[in-house]
PDB file of all heavy atoms in Angstrom:
ATOM      1  N   SER S 376      15.091  33.231 -48.535  1.00 97.00           N
ATOM      2  CA  SER S 376      16.400  33.866 -48.627  1.00 97.00           C
ATOM      3  C   SER S 376      17.509  32.827 -48.580  1.00 97.00           C
ATOM      4  O   SER S 376      17.545  31.986 -47.674  1.00 97.00           O
ATOM      5  CB  SER S 376      16.596  34.860 -47.484  1.00 97.00           C
ATOM      6  OG  SER S 376      17.923  35.330 -47.445  1.00 97.00           O
ATOM      7  N   ALA S 377      18.429  32.910 -49.518  1.00 95.00           N
ATOM      8  CA  ALA S 377      19.557  31.982 -49.535  1.00 95.00           C
ATOM      9  C   ALA S 377      20.639  32.385 -48.549  1.00 95.00           C
ATOM     10  O   ALA S 377      21.466  31.563 -48.171  1.00 95.00           O
ATOM     11  CB  ALA S 377      20.149  31.911 -50.948  1.00 95.00           C
ATOM     12  N   ARG S 378      20.665  33.648 -48.108  1.00 97.00           N
ATOM     13  CA  ARG S 378      21.742  34.128 -47.257  1.00 97.00           C
ATOM     14  C   ARG S 378      21.383  34.149 -45.773  1.00 97.00           C
ATOM     15  O   ARG S 378      22.246  34.307 -44.921  1.00 97.00           O
ATOM     16  CB  ARG S 378      22.199  35.527 -47.680  1.00 97.00           C
ATOM     17  CG  ARG S 378      21.144  36.584 -47.610  1.00 97.00           C
ATOM     18  CD  ARG S 378      21.699  37.960 -47.983  1.00 97.00           C
ATOM     19  NE  ARG S 378      22.416  38.591 -46.878  1.00 97.00           N
ATOM     20  CZ  ARG S 378      23.714  38.868 -46.873  1.00 97.00           C
ATOM     21  NH1 ARG S 378      24.462  38.582 -47.911  1.00 97.00           N
ATOM     22  NH2 ARG S 378      24.270  39.451 -45.833  1.00 97.00           N
ATOM     23  N   ALA S 379      20.114  33.983 -45.433  1.00 98.00           N
ATOM     24  CA  ALA S 379      19.682  34.101 -44.041  1.00 98.00           C
ATOM     25  C   ALA S 379      20.300  32.993 -43.176  1.00 98.00           C
ATOM     26  O   ALA S 379      20.349  31.833 -43.573  1.00 98.00           O
ATOM     27  CB  ALA S 379      18.170  34.039 -43.949  1.00 98.00           C
ATOM     28  N   GLU S 380      20.726  33.370 -41.969  1.00 98.00           N
ATOM     29  CA  GLU S 380      21.301  32.403 -41.030  1.00 98.00           C
ATOM     30  C   GLU S 380      20.318  31.998 -39.937  1.00 98.00           C
ATOM     31  O   GLU S 380      20.505  30.965 -39.291  1.00 98.00           O
ATOM     32  CB  GLU S 380      22.569  32.972 -40.394  1.00 98.00           C
ATOM     33  CG  GLU S 380      23.705  33.131 -41.385  1.00 98.00           C
ATOM     34  CD  GLU S 380      24.999  33.586 -40.754  1.00 98.00           C
ATOM     35  OE1 GLU S 380      24.959  34.155 -39.628  1.00 98.00           O
ATOM     36  OE2 GLU S 380      26.058  33.394 -41.372  1.00 98.00           O
ATOM     37  N   ALA S 381      19.288  32.776 -39.721  1.00 98.00           N
ATOM     38  CA  ALA S 381      18.277  32.449 -38.719  1.00 98.00           C
ATOM     39  C   ALA S 381      17.121  31.695 -39.355  1.00 98.00           C
ATOM     40  O   ALA S 381      17.060  31.538 -40.579  1.00 98.00           O
ATOM     41  CB  ALA S 381      17.781  33.726 -38.052  1.00 98.00           C
ATOM     42  N   VAL S 382      16.199  31.244 -38.528  1.00 99.00           N
ATOM     43  CA  VAL S 382      15.027  30.507 -38.989  1.00 99.00           C
ATOM     44  C   VAL S 382      13.821  31.425 -39.153  1.00 99.00           C
ATOM     45  O   VAL S 382      13.094  31.346 -40.137  1.00 99.00           O
ATOM     46  CB  VAL S 382      14.690  29.364 -38.002  1.00 99.00           C
ATOM     47  CG1 VAL S 382      13.388  28.667 -38.399  1.00 99.00           C
ATOM     48  CG2 VAL S 382      15.837  28.366 -37.932  1.00 99.00           C
ATOM     49  N   VAL S 383      13.604  32.308 -38.187  1.00 98.00           N
ATOM     50  CA  VAL S 383      12.398  33.136 -38.141  1.00 98.00           C
ATOM     51  C   VAL S 383      12.760  34.583 -38.477  1.00 98.00           C
ATOM     52  O   VAL S 383      13.710  35.137 -37.918  1.00 98.00           O
ATOM     53  CB  VAL S 383      11.740  33.084 -36.750  1.00 98.00           C
ATOM     54  CG1 VAL S 383      10.471  33.941 -36.722  1.00 98.00           C
ATOM     55  CG2 VAL S 383      11.408  31.635 -36.380  1.00 98.00           C
ATOM     56  N   ALA S 384      11.999  35.182 -39.371  1.00 98.00           N
ATOM     57  CA  ALA S 384      12.148  36.592 -39.724  1.00 98.00           C
ATOM     58  C   ALA S 384      11.027  37.401 -39.064  1.00 98.00           C
ATOM     59  O   ALA S 384      10.257  36.886 -38.258  1.00 98.00           O
ATOM     60  CB  ALA S 384      12.118  36.763 -41.237  1.00 98.00           C
ATOM     61  N   ARG S 385      10.948  38.677 -39.378  1.00 98.00           N
ATOM     62  CA  ARG S 385       9.858  39.566 -38.977  1.00 98.00           C
ATOM     63  C   ARG S 385       9.759  39.753 -37.458  1.00 98.00           C
ATOM     64  O   ARG S 385       8.683  39.855 -36.883  1.00 98.00           O
ATOM     65  CB  ARG S 385       8.521  39.081 -39.532  1.00 98.00           C
ATOM     66  CG  ARG S 385       8.511  38.902 -41.045  1.00 98.00           C
ATOM     67  CD  ARG S 385       7.164  38.450 -41.550  1.00 98.00           C
ATOM     68  NE  ARG S 385       6.195  39.537 -41.509  1.00 98.00           N
ATOM     69  CZ  ARG S 385       4.879  39.370 -41.666  1.00 98.00           C
ATOM     70  NH1 ARG S 385       4.393  38.154 -41.850  1.00 98.00           N
ATOM     71  NH2 ARG S 385       4.064  40.402 -41.627  1.00 98.00           N
ATOM     72  N   CYS S 386      10.910  39.796 -36.795  1.00 98.00           N
ATOM     73  CA  CYS S 386      10.954  40.059 -35.354  1.00 98.00           C
ATOM     74  C   CYS S 386      11.419  41.492 -35.115  1.00 98.00           C
ATOM     75  O   CYS S 386      12.174  42.046 -35.905  1.00 98.00           O
ATOM     76  CB  CYS S 386      11.916  39.107 -34.656  1.00 98.00           C
ATOM     77  SG  CYS S 386      11.572  37.350 -34.928  1.00 98.00           S
ATOM     78  N   THR S 387      10.983  42.066 -34.013  1.00 98.00           N
ATOM     79  CA  THR S 387      11.375  43.426 -33.659  1.00 98.00           C
ATOM     80  C   THR S 387      11.892  43.441 -32.233  1.00 98.00           C
ATOM     81  O   THR S 387      11.173  43.059 -31.307  1.00 98.00           O
ATOM     82  CB  THR S 387      10.196  44.399 -33.812  1.00 98.00           C
ATOM     83  OG1 THR S 387       9.811  44.425 -35.198  1.00 98.00           O
ATOM     84  CG2 THR S 387      10.576  45.801 -33.377  1.00 98.00           C
ATOM     85  N   ARG S 388      13.129  43.907 -32.064  1.00 98.00           N
ATOM     86  CA  ARG S 388      13.772  43.856 -30.754  1.00 98.00           C
ATOM     87  C   ARG S 388      13.342  45.025 -29.868  1.00 98.00           C
ATOM     88  O   ARG S 388      12.843  44.819 -28.772  1.00 98.00           O
ATOM     89  CB  ARG S 388      15.292  43.842 -30.920  1.00 98.00           C
ATOM     90  CG  ARG S 388      16.057  43.756 -29.603  1.00 98.00           C
ATOM     91  CD  ARG S 388      17.487  43.329 -29.815  1.00 98.00           C
ATOM     92  NE  ARG S 388      18.135  44.057 -30.892  1.00 98.00           N
ATOM     93  CZ  ARG S 388      19.176  43.581 -31.599  1.00 98.00           C
ATOM     94  NH1 ARG S 388      19.648  42.369 -31.327  1.00 98.00           N
ATOM     95  NH2 ARG S 388      19.725  44.278 -32.562  1.00 98.00           N
ATOM     96  N   ASN S 389      13.563  46.245 -30.322  1.00 98.00           N
ATOM     97  CA  ASN S 389      13.280  47.412 -29.481  1.00 98.00           C
ATOM     98  C   ASN S 389      12.847  48.552 -30.396  1.00 98.00           C
ATOM     99  O   ASN S 389      13.668  49.345 -30.849  1.00 98.00           O
ATOM    100  CB  ASN S 389      14.512  47.796 -28.667  1.00 98.00           C
ATOM    101  CG  ASN S 389      14.222  48.876 -27.633  1.00 98.00           C
ATOM    102  OD1 ASN S 389      13.288  49.660 -27.763  1.00 98.00           O
ATOM    103  ND2 ASN S 389      15.041  48.915 -26.591  1.00 98.00           N
TER     104      ASN S 389
END
Side-chain angles (χ1 to χ4, degrees):
S376 171
R378 61 177 280 115
E380 292 185 340
V382 175
V383 181
R385 305 181 73 192
C386 304
T387 297
R388 181 163 47 205
N389 188 336

